[in-house]
Amino acid sequence: MDLLRESIAERNSACEHERLAVRERLAAAVREYLPTGSRVWVYGSLIEPGRFREWSDVDLAIEADPPGMSIHLLASLLAERCRRRIDVCLLGETRLATVIRHKGEPWTV
């Protein structure tokens, strides 16, 4: 039983380490692709320790269309930098806006 607990603890530690690394890569990428002063909300497993796993994606809501590109291109660029699937939505166009604003983590670029 100790071996199983040890294995689970190691897996959880690795997932947490990856979660923090993805957050750093995402922060750097949004600073590169979005104008200074832009507001974004990160939500889902990336903001909750213990929920992020090997297969987790990244959920991001933005206030406005990124200049000079679609949200699909932005998602693709962010995914390449973060090495994760990225779901990007416009905050004003999603039915989850209230939940995202309430439970999400706001970032100002």
Side-chain angles (χ1 to χ4, degrees):
M1 207 55 167
D2 287 337
L3 185 59
L4 178 60
R5 280 191 206 116
E6 223 174 271
S7 177
I8 291 170
E10 285 175 11
R11 178 177 170 253
N12 289 343
S13 177
C15 287
E16 181 61 10
H17 178 74
E18 178 63 8
R19 182 183 78 86
L20 296 174
V22 170
R23 285 176 59 92
E24 287 180 22
R25 291 191 300 266
L26 179 63
V30 295
R31 282 192 302 269
E32 181 176 336
Y33 296 119
L34 296 176
T36 301
S38 297
R39 298 253 310 159
V40 303
W41 280 260
V42 181
Y43 60 101
S45 62
L46 191 63
I47 65 167
E48 298 180 33
R51 284 196 50 219
F52 195 78
R53 295 290 175 237
E54 300 88 358
W55 58 84
S56 293
D57 66 353
V58 173
D59 299 301
L60 184 71
I62 59 177
E63 283 189 330
D65 283 313
M69 69 178 86
S70 68
I71 63 170
H72 306 291
L73 177 56
L74 176 63
S76 177
L77 293 169
L78 294 174
E80 184 177 331
R81 291 282 300 276
C82 294
R83 300 187 293 268
R84 292 278 169 165
R85 187 172 145 233
I86 309 280
D87 289 330
V88 178
C89 68
L90 288 171
L91 197 58
E93 294 181 8
T94 179
R95 60 185 175 78
L96 300 174
T98 302
V99 173
I100 292 169
R101 282 190 176 107
H102 179 71
K103 293 188 174 187
E105 187 177 292
W107 292 1
T108 301
V109 176

